mmCIF file with all atom_site columns, all heavy atoms in Angstrom:
data_model
loop_
_atom_site.group_PDB
_atom_site.id
_atom_site.type_symbol
_atom_site.label_atom_id
_atom_site.label_alt_id
_atom_site.label_comp_id
_atom_site.label_asym_id
_atom_site.label_entity_id
_atom_site.label_seq_id
_atom_site.pdbx_PDB_ins_code
_atom_site.Cartn_x
_atom_site.Cartn_y
_atom_site.Cartn_z
_atom_site.occupancy
_atom_site.B_iso_or_equiv
_atom_site.pdbx_formal_charge
_atom_site.auth_seq_id
_atom_site.auth_comp_id
_atom_site.auth_asym_id
_atom_site.auth_atom_id
_atom_site.pdbx_PDB_model_num
ATOM 1  N N   . SER N 1 32  ? -41.603 25.183 -2.481  1.00 0.00 ? 243 SER N N   1
ATOM 2  C CA  . SER N 1 32  ? -41.528 23.769 -2.819  1.00 0.00 ? 243 SER N CA  1
ATOM 3  C C   . SER N 1 32  ? -40.141 23.469 -3.397  1.00 0.00 ? 243 SER N C   1
ATOM 4  O O   . SER N 1 32  ? -39.431 24.355 -3.829  1.00 0.00 ? 243 SER N O   1
ATOM 5  C CB  . SER N 1 32  ? -42.606 23.431 -3.834  1.00 0.00 ? 243 SER N CB  1
ATOM 6  O OG  . SER N 1 32  ? -42.390 24.204 -4.986  1.00 0.00 ? 243 SER N OG  1
ATOM 7  N N   . GLY N 1 57  ? -38.180 22.418 -16.416 1.00 0.00 ? 268 GLY N N   1
ATOM 8  C CA  . GLY N 1 57  ? -39.142 21.442 -16.900 1.00 0.00 ? 268 GLY N CA  1
ATOM 9  C C   . GLY N 1 57  ? -39.565 21.788 -18.313 1.00 0.00 ? 268 GLY N C   1
ATOM 10 O O   . GLY N 1 57  ? -39.651 22.973 -18.663 1.00 0.00 ? 268 GLY N O   1
ATOM 11 N N   . VAL N 1 82  ? -33.968 31.145 -4.561  1.00 0.00 ? 293 VAL N N   1
ATOM 12 C CA  . VAL N 1 82  ? -32.718 31.927 -4.438  1.00 0.00 ? 293 VAL N CA  1
ATOM 13 C C   . VAL N 1 82  ? -32.625 32.551 -3.064  1.00 0.00 ? 293 VAL N C   1
ATOM 14 O O   . VAL N 1 82  ? -33.551 33.266 -2.627  1.00 0.00 ? 293 VAL N O   1
ATOM 15 C CB  . VAL N 1 82  ? -32.706 33.017 -5.538  1.00 0.00 ? 293 VAL N CB  1
ATOM 16 C CG1 . VAL N 1 82  ? -31.360 33.775 -5.480  1.00 0.00 ? 293 VAL N CG1 1
ATOM 17 C CG2 . VAL N 1 82  ? -32.901 32.414 -6.917  1.00 0.00 ? 293 VAL N CG2 1
ATOM 18 N N   . ASP N 1 111 ? -36.885 28.171 -32.092 1.00 0.00 ? 322 ASP N N   1
ATOM 19 C CA  . ASP N 1 111 ? -37.343 29.289 -32.903 1.00 0.00 ? 322 ASP N CA  1
ATOM 20 C C   . ASP N 1 111 ? -38.828 29.155 -33.267 1.00 0.00 ? 322 ASP N C   1
ATOM 21 O O   . ASP N 1 111 ? -39.436 30.095 -33.806 1.00 0.00 ? 322 ASP N O   1
ATOM 22 C CB  . ASP N 1 111 ? -36.558 29.381 -34.238 1.00 0.00 ? 322 ASP N CB  1
ATOM 23 C CG  . ASP N 1 111 ? -35.135 29.852 -33.992 1.00 0.00 ? 322 ASP N CG  1
ATOM 24 O OD1 . ASP N 1 111 ? -34.931 30.695 -33.121 1.00 0.00 ? 322 ASP N OD1 1
ATOM 25 O OD2 . ASP N 1 111 ? -34.220 29.339 -34.677 1.00 0.00 ? 322 ASP N OD2 1
ATOM 26 N N   . HIS N 1 135 ? -32.081 39.028 -18.988 1.00 0.00 ? 346 HIS N N   1
ATOM 27 C CA  . HIS N 1 135 ? -32.084 37.812 -19.789 1.00 0.00 ? 346 HIS N CA  1
ATOM 28 C C   . HIS N 1 135 ? -33.213 37.809 -20.814 1.00 0.00 ? 346 HIS N C   1
ATOM 29 O O   . HIS N 1 135 ? -33.470 36.777 -21.449 1.00 0.00 ? 346 HIS N O   1
ATOM 30 C CB  . HIS N 1 135 ? -32.160 36.590 -18.866 1.00 0.00 ? 346 HIS N CB  1
ATOM 31 C CG  . HIS N 1 135 ? -30.838 36.295 -18.218 1.00 0.00 ? 346 HIS N CG  1
ATOM 32 N ND1 . HIS N 1 135 ? -29.911 35.454 -18.766 1.00 0.00 ? 346 HIS N ND1 1
ATOM 33 C CD2 . HIS N 1 135 ? -30.275 36.796 -17.092 1.00 0.00 ? 346 HIS N CD2 1
ATOM 34 C CE1 . HIS N 1 135 ? -28.840 35.407 -17.984 1.00 0.00 ? 346 HIS N CE1 1
ATOM 35 N NE2 . HIS N 1 135 ? -29.024 36.218 -16.958 1.00 0.00 ? 346 HIS N NE2 1
ATOM 36 N N   . PRO N 1 159 ? -75.836 48.039 -11.153 1.00 0.00 ? 370 PRO N N   1
ATOM 37 C CA  . PRO N 1 159 ? -76.191 49.091 -12.105 1.00 0.00 ? 370 PRO N CA  1
ATOM 38 C C   . PRO N 1 159 ? -77.668 48.986 -12.471 1.00 0.00 ? 370 PRO N C   1
ATOM 39 O O   . PRO N 1 159 ? -78.217 47.888 -12.543 1.00 0.00 ? 370 PRO N O   1
ATOM 40 C CB  . PRO N 1 159 ? -75.328 48.838 -13.319 1.00 0.00 ? 370 PRO N CB  1
ATOM 41 C CG  . PRO N 1 159 ? -74.255 47.885 -12.874 1.00 0.00 ? 370 PRO N CG  1
ATOM 42 C CD  . PRO N 1 159 ? -74.796 47.140 -11.703 1.00 0.00 ? 370 PRO N CD  1
ATOM 43 N N   . LEU N 1 172 ? -75.392 27.616 -21.511 1.00 0.00 ? 383 LEU N N   1
ATOM 44 C CA  . LEU N 1 172 ? -74.073 27.241 -21.975 1.00 0.00 ? 383 LEU N CA  1
ATOM 45 C C   . LEU N 1 172 ? -73.573 28.112 -23.140 1.00 0.00 ? 383 LEU N C   1
ATOM 46 O O   . LEU N 1 172 ? -72.449 28.654 -23.076 1.00 0.00 ? 383 LEU N O   1
ATOM 47 C CB  . LEU N 1 172 ? -74.069 25.765 -22.404 1.00 0.00 ? 383 LEU N CB  1
ATOM 48 C CG  . LEU N 1 172 ? -72.748 25.212 -22.907 1.00 0.00 ? 383 LEU N CG  1
ATOM 49 C CD1 . LEU N 1 172 ? -71.657 25.264 -21.818 1.00 0.00 ? 383 LEU N CD1 1
ATOM 50 C CD2 . LEU N 1 172 ? -72.900 23.749 -23.368 1.00 0.00 ? 383 LEU N CD2 1
ATOM 51 N N   . GLU N 1 173 ? -74.389 28.306 -24.152 1.00 0.00 ? 384 GLU N N   1
ATOM 52 C CA  . GLU N 1 173 ? -73.888 29.063 -25.339 1.00 0.00 ? 384 GLU N CA  1
ATOM 53 C C   . GLU N 1 173 ? -73.633 30.541 -24.969 1.00 0.00 ? 384 GLU N C   1
ATOM 54 O O   . GLU N 1 173 ? -72.675 31.143 -25.434 1.00 0.00 ? 384 GLU N O   1
ATOM 55 C CB  . GLU N 1 173 ? -74.886 28.961 -26.502 1.00 0.00 ? 384 GLU N CB  1
ATOM 56 C CG  . GLU N 1 173 ? -75.004 27.558 -27.058 1.00 0.00 ? 384 GLU N CG  1
ATOM 57 C CD  . GLU N 1 173 ? -73.634 26.883 -27.387 1.00 0.00 ? 384 GLU N CD  1
ATOM 58 O OE1 . GLU N 1 173 ? -72.801 27.536 -28.045 1.00 0.00 ? 384 GLU N OE1 1
ATOM 59 O OE2 . GLU N 1 173 ? -73.460 25.688 -27.005 1.00 0.00 ? 384 GLU N OE2 1
ATOM 60 N N   . ARG N 1 203 ? -66.314 25.212 -24.147 1.00 0.00 ? 414 ARG N N   1
ATOM 61 C CA  . ARG N 1 203 ? -67.526 24.405 -23.944 1.00 0.00 ? 414 ARG N CA  1
ATOM 62 C C   . ARG N 1 203 ? -67.198 23.214 -23.040 1.00 0.00 ? 414 ARG N C   1
ATOM 63 O O   . ARG N 1 203 ? -67.967 22.873 -22.111 1.00 0.00 ? 414 ARG N O   1
ATOM 64 C CB  . ARG N 1 203 ? -68.094 23.953 -25.269 1.00 0.00 ? 414 ARG N CB  1
ATOM 65 C CG  . ARG N 1 203 ? -69.412 23.188 -25.148 1.00 0.00 ? 414 ARG N CG  1
ATOM 66 C CD  . ARG N 1 203 ? -70.024 22.828 -26.504 1.00 0.00 ? 414 ARG N CD  1
ATOM 67 N NE  . ARG N 1 203 ? -70.601 23.985 -27.159 1.00 0.00 ? 414 ARG N NE  1
ATOM 68 C CZ  . ARG N 1 203 ? -70.127 24.532 -28.273 1.00 0.00 ? 414 ARG N CZ  1
ATOM 69 N NH1 . ARG N 1 203 ? -69.089 23.998 -28.881 1.00 0.00 ? 414 ARG N NH1 1
ATOM 70 N NH2 . ARG N 1 203 ? -70.713 25.603 -28.812 1.00 0.00 ? 414 ARG N NH2 1
ATOM 71 N N   . LEU N 1 210 ? -71.487 23.923 -15.422 1.00 0.00 ? 421 LEU N N   1
ATOM 72 C CA  . LEU N 1 210 ? -72.892 24.343 -15.347 1.00 0.00 ? 421 LEU N CA  1
ATOM 73 C C   . LEU N 1 210 ? -73.815 23.201 -14.920 1.00 0.00 ? 421 LEU N C   1
ATOM 74 O O   . LEU N 1 210 ? -74.875 23.419 -14.329 1.00 0.00 ? 421 LEU N O   1
ATOM 75 C CB  . LEU N 1 210 ? -73.363 24.899 -16.703 1.00 0.00 ? 421 LEU N CB  1
ATOM 76 C CG  . LEU N 1 210 ? -72.718 26.225 -17.112 1.00 0.00 ? 421 LEU N CG  1
ATOM 77 C CD1 . LEU N 1 210 ? -73.160 26.600 -18.509 1.00 0.00 ? 421 LEU N CD1 1
ATOM 78 C CD2 . LEU N 1 210 ? -73.100 27.328 -16.146 1.00 0.00 ? 421 LEU N CD2 1
ATOM 79 N N   . LEU N 1 255 ? -62.547 33.089 -15.192 1.00 0.00 ? 466 LEU N N   1
ATOM 80 C CA  . LEU N 1 255 ? -62.814 34.015 -16.313 1.00 0.00 ? 466 LEU N CA  1
ATOM 81 C C   . LEU N 1 255 ? -63.861 35.021 -15.902 1.00 0.00 ? 466 LEU N C   1
ATOM 82 O O   . LEU N 1 255 ? -64.871 34.654 -15.330 1.00 0.00 ? 466 LEU N O   1
ATOM 83 C CB  . LEU N 1 255 ? -63.347 33.247 -17.508 1.00 0.00 ? 466 LEU N CB  1
ATOM 84 C CG  . LEU N 1 255 ? -62.360 32.620 -18.501 1.00 0.00 ? 466 LEU N CG  1
ATOM 85 C CD1 . LEU N 1 255 ? -63.065 31.588 -19.371 1.00 0.00 ? 466 LEU N CD1 1
ATOM 86 C CD2 . LEU N 1 255 ? -61.779 33.725 -19.401 1.00 0.00 ? 466 LEU N CD2 1
#
Side-chain angles (χ1 to χ4, degrees):
S243 59
V293 184
D322 289 323
H346 283 269
L383 181 61
E384 295 309 314
R414 185 175 286 113
L421 291 175
L466 273 163

